[in-house]
Amino acid sequence: MIALHRVWPGRQIVPWPVRYLGIVPFAVGLWLILWVNAIFRRVGTTIKPFEDSSALVTQGPFRVSRNPIYLGMFIALLGVAVLLGSLTPFLVVPVFAVLIDARFVRAEEGILTKTF
């Protein structure tokens, strides 16, 4: 995103003082990732994709999202895009969501379904 912003920024769509608001989604996304990591450690299951899970987590953010780590990444990326303020970093966010769904979410859901 930073490289796109530097090399091919496109139009500035978020004005400078407002760009500071990107800190909020970035911090929320990072906090969500760290919270889920703590839950995984507490229940003793892996956080690594495609490794066998030893527990099905349904507490905390898993009550509302089956993939809160990816959601946290998405939110943090959105925050970075706002901080940068140009058009091209915003293009990365939906591409990230599609790729994560295709490469990780579908496979992980299949593994969890088979295991639990």
Side-chain angles (χ1 to χ4, degrees):
M1 292 173 79
I2 293 170
L4 279 172
H5 173 72
R6 295 280 183 213
V7 174
W8 187 50
R11 199 178 98 201
Q12 245 351 78
I13 59 174
V14 181
W16 176 242
V18 178
R19 288 173 28 193
Y20 283 118
L21 292 175
I23 294 169
V24 174
F26 179 79
V28 168
L30 183 59
W31 172 79
L32 183 57
I33 293 165
L34 295 173
W35 182 19
V36 172
N37 185 45
I39 292 171
F40 278 15
R41 285 179 188 260
R42 189 171 51 246
V43 300
T45 193
T46 185
I47 197 168
K48 296 178 183 172
F50 308 117
E51 286 190 4
D52 292 334
S53 297
S54 60
L56 181 64
V57 181
T58 58
Q59 64 205 45
F62 287 95
R63 286 180 280 162
V64 293
S65 173
R66 208 44 249 150
N67 299 286
I69 291 176
Y70 300 136
L71 178 60
M73 290 175 177
F74 179 87
I75 294 168
L77 285 176
L78 189 58
V80 171
V82 172
L83 281 165
L84 294 172
S86 62
L87 178 63
T88 54
F90 281 96
L91 301 176
V92 172
V93 179
V95 170
F96 170 81
V98 169
L99 290 175
I100 285 295
D101 181 60
R103 175 69 176 103
F104 293 95
V105 172
R106 293 172 194 249
E108 289 176 6
E109 287 297 321
I111 292 168
L112 287 173
T113 300
K114 191 179 348 175
T115 304
F116 299 104

